[in-house]
Amino acid sequence: MAEPVKLIGTFGSPFVHRAEVALRLKGVPYELILEDLTNKSELLLRHNPIHKSVPVLLHGDRPAICESLLIVEYIDEAFDGPPLLPIDPYDRAMARFWAQFIEQKCAKPFWMALWLNDGDKREVFVKEAKENMALLESRLHGKRFFAGDTVGYLDFAACGLALVLGVLAEVTGLSLVGEDEFPLLRRWADDYTSEETVKACLPPREQLVAHFSGKKDRIKLAVNAMACQM
Amino acid sequence: MVGEKNDGLLLLDFWVSPFGQRCRIALAEKGLPYKHVEEDLFGGKIDFLLRSNPVHKKIPVLLHDGKPINESLVILQYLDEAFLGTPSFLPVDPHAYTRFWADYIDKKVFDFGTRLWKLKGEPQMQARAEMLQILRTLEVEIGKKEFFGGEHGFRFVDATFALATAWFETFESSGEFSVAEVVPSLAVWAARCGERESVAKSLYSPEKVYDFIGRLRKKLGIG
């Protein structure tokens, strides 16, 4: 009998989403435990004492697995089903490299730019994000998804970017990316969020907008405090 | 695949970089011959580097038969997956925990280490507190094990962290603490790593690193 799989997450998190999509693509049944991150449960703190963050994957009695991209790789290795990462070692290296690039060099500066009060600081982050997104845009030439015809590791690694370009732009009222900029990335974001398996574990857009609108002030406070330390 | 003299491996590096050294340790542990090209980071980047790594323009870069791979941990994983006949760095079972610790070390040690020698006053005190916390977390993880790789011996996580030991002296003098006093098991582990041939050949003396940081600080107009 298969060992139970539990995923500790929180509503609206692109990091948790990565793990959910991976489990669904592999056809692994799981229980989703939603956390209120302003009031973390004993379960979460016990299983992720170091980072105290979600997602956390619990597979049977094994020690917890943390960090979303590591969870995705674990799911790929531990369960049968269609591969999530490429098979060839070089392609795998490229996928891992670009996943980090997207997170650190595109999604993160965009996230910062959306919430910063200081216009000058925002400009710096927007410039950085756009330079890097141009490099990313070129990866989509002739492809529907980063992984090819179907979604794969790099697509869910980039899901945070889809969130930033769509929902968060609406929540903040800031359109940092012009209508005519990055056509391939915008098309990818639409294709990704409407893909069958992805859609099944993505909350409806209106719910995401409402959720982030409700957290707006708290996020702004945290991001502006972080920016002062940078 | 194993036909050419050096399997077509080339490493672009800078002597003091812990990330480049990590790759050198992995290549030595695996017994993989390679060509080593040292970049002069202060003398202007060479054209070759920019062509290999247009995205980050940073070392290390590993070229395998001309194909570039960037980011030291990505390189380490690649070496394990592409050269299956060599001693394996990652355990056979799903390697989530190994990756977790390597990721933790990568995210925390060098980030806070850099803040320790770059910052002053209150921000430096905060970096010091964080660094001590990080080292204590790693002390718990090493426990009574000889290496982080446990029964497998010197492995992925050890290689990821081994080179930090050359930087301990720099962290210690900037942070004003003694590694041996605060985290004795880690200090013993570091000495044990230093005796390993792959590490000894790739690491530079702590004094040399400390000296380099001193010159870098002067250049940046700090302290």
Side-chain angles (χ1 to χ4, degrees):
Chain A
M1 202 183 111
E3 293 169 276
V5 175
K6 294 183 190 175
L7 182 67
I8 308 176
T10 195
F11 184 86
S13 160
F15 305 103
V16 174
H17 170 76
R18 285 170 177 168
E20 278 206 82
V21 166
L23 285 165
R24 283 172 181 262
L25 284 170
K26 285 284 197 188
V28 176
Y30 63 97
E31 182 195 339
L32 179 66
I33 301 167
L34 286 176
E35 286 275 325
D36 169 8
L37 293 181
T38 60
N39 185 16
K40 291 173 187 173
S41 71
E42 189 267 332
L43 183 77
L44 173 61
L45 295 173
R46 183 165 30 104
H47 287 296
N48 192 359
I50 290 177
H51 295 301
K52 303 182 179 63
S53 59
V54 291
V56 175
L57 187 78
L58 299 167
H59 183 198
D61 289 325
R62 293 174 187 73
I65 298 156
C66 312
E67 296 298 292
S68 61
L69 291 178
L70 303 187
I71 291 174
V72 170
E73 292 220 32
Y74 174 79
I75 292 169
D76 206 24
E77 286 156 10
F79 300 101
D80 293 326
L84 303 172
L85 272 99
I87 310 289
D88 177 76
Y90 186 75
D91 294 337
R92 289 165 79 83
M94 289 299 100
R96 286 177 183 130
F97 168 77
W98 282 105
Q100 272 186 43
F101 180 83
I102 289 168
E103 191 162 288
Q104 296 299 317
K105 303 281 178 182
C106 302
K108 198 168 168 193
F110 248 126
W111 168 265
M112 296 295 292
L114 281 168
W115 306 106
L116 281 175
N117 296 325
D118 183 333
D120 290 333
K121 274 188 184 160
R122 186 187 309 141
E123 272 314 303
V124 171
F125 280 112
V126 170
K127 183 164 179 283
E128 183 194 343
K130 286 191 177 180
E131 272 170 9
N132 294 323
M133 280 178 53
L135 291 163
L136 197 59
E137 175 95 350
S138 65
R139 309 284 307 168
L140 282 169
H141 280 309
K143 293 202 299 204
R144 190 163 175 233
F145 297 109
F146 286 110
D149 294 324
T150 53
V151 295
Y153 174 83
L154 199 46
D155 298 286
F156 15 107
C159 69
L161 198 59
L163 184 78
V164 157
L165 288 174
V167 168
L168 295 183
E170 189 179 324
V171 167
T172 58
L174 278 175
S175 53
L176 299 171
V177 173
E179 287 285 315
D180 52 346
E181 286 184 281
F182 309 118
L184 295 178
L185 276 170
R186 290 150 154 283
R187 194 261 307 143
W188 165 83
D190 285 337
D191 281 350
Y192 179 75
T193 48
S194 24
E195 199 274 352
E196 200 186 320
T197 315
V198 171
K199 211 170 167 187
C201 54
L202 215 53
R205 193 192 160 99
E206 316 80 60
Q207 271 188 38
L208 282 170
V209 170
H211 172 79
F212 281 101
S213 296
K215 282 168 64 168
K216 219 159 93 168
D217 292 331
R218 219 173 345 114
I219 297 174
K220 275 191 135 182
L221 209 65
V223 169
N224 281 288
M226 204 195 313
C228 287
Q229 286 176 19
M230 286 170 98
Chain B
M1 194 174 73
V2 188
E4 261 177 280
K5 189 184 169 224
N6 63 353
D7 279 34
L9 286 171
L10 189 151
L11 183 71
L12 284 174
D13 198 358
F14 178 51
W15 72 268
V16 81
S17 161
F19 307 106
Q21 285 169 348
R22 203 180 258 178
C23 301
R24 274 182 264 153
I25 290 173
L27 287 159
E29 287 281 329
K30 288 180 166 297
L32 290 167
Y34 63 99
K35 196 171 163 213
H36 190 210
V37 174
E38 281 230 24
E39 188 26 17
D40 175 10
L41 287 182
F42 297 123
K45 313 265 182 178
I46 51 171
D47 198 35
F48 185 31
L49 176 66
L50 291 174
R51 271 189 281 121
S52 303
N53 194 355
V55 172
H56 274 175
K57 306 185 182 63
K58 284 197 307 201
I59 54 92
V61 181
L62 179 79
L63 285 141
H64 185 195
D65 295 333
K67 292 191 293 188
I69 303 142
N70 319 316
E71 295 297 316
S72 61
L73 288 187
V74 175
I75 291 171
L76 253 56
Q77 286 183 87
Y78 174 76
L79 289 173
D80 233 30
E81 290 174 358
F83 294 93
L84 293 171
T86 61
S88 167
F89 244 22
L90 284 164
V92 172
D93 284 338
H95 359 282
Y97 310 113
T98 302
R99 286 207 185 97
F100 173 82
W101 284 108
D103 177 66
Y104 176 81
I105 288 163
D106 228 26
K107 280 194 177 123
K108 302 280 197 179
V109 172
F110 295 104
D111 188 31
F112 285 99
T114 306
R115 286 191 213 190
L116 255 183
W117 67 257
K118 248 188 176 169
L119 301 174
K120 293 188 119 149
E122 183 56 37
Q124 196 200 35
M125 293 310 293
Q126 274 178 351
R128 179 182 184 278
E130 281 277 1
M131 183 52 121
L132 286 170
Q133 181 54 42
I134 291 159
L135 290 173
R136 286 192 183 111
T137 303
L138 289 164
E139 174 87 351
V140 170
E141 178 56 22
I142 189 88
K144 294 195 172 20
K145 296 195 289 241
E146 215 178 80
F147 292 110
F148 283 97
E151 59 188 30
H152 303 288
F154 183 93
R155 284 288 177 273
F156 199 87
V157 178
D158 301 281
T160 303
F161 196 28
L163 34 95
T165 60
W167 289 71
F168 276 173
E169 189 170 306
T170 305
F171 294 164
E172 277 178 325
S173 76
S174 310
E176 285 168 20
F177 62 83
S178 152
V179 171
E181 261 175 39
V182 171
V183 282
S185 300
L186 217 54
V188 168
W189 165 86
R192 194 177 289 130
C193 283
E195 286 158 17
R196 224 172 152 79
E197 199 183 331
S198 66
V199 175
K201 272 194 183 152
S202 318
L203 244 43
Y204 290 90
S205 72
E207 295 80 33
K208 218 176 164 188
V209 173
Y210 184 60
D211 182 56
F212 170 79
I213 293 295
R215 281 184 285 127
L216 190 57
R217 288 180 94 194
K218 280 210 185 84
K219 209 175 160 115
L220 294 171
I222 305 165

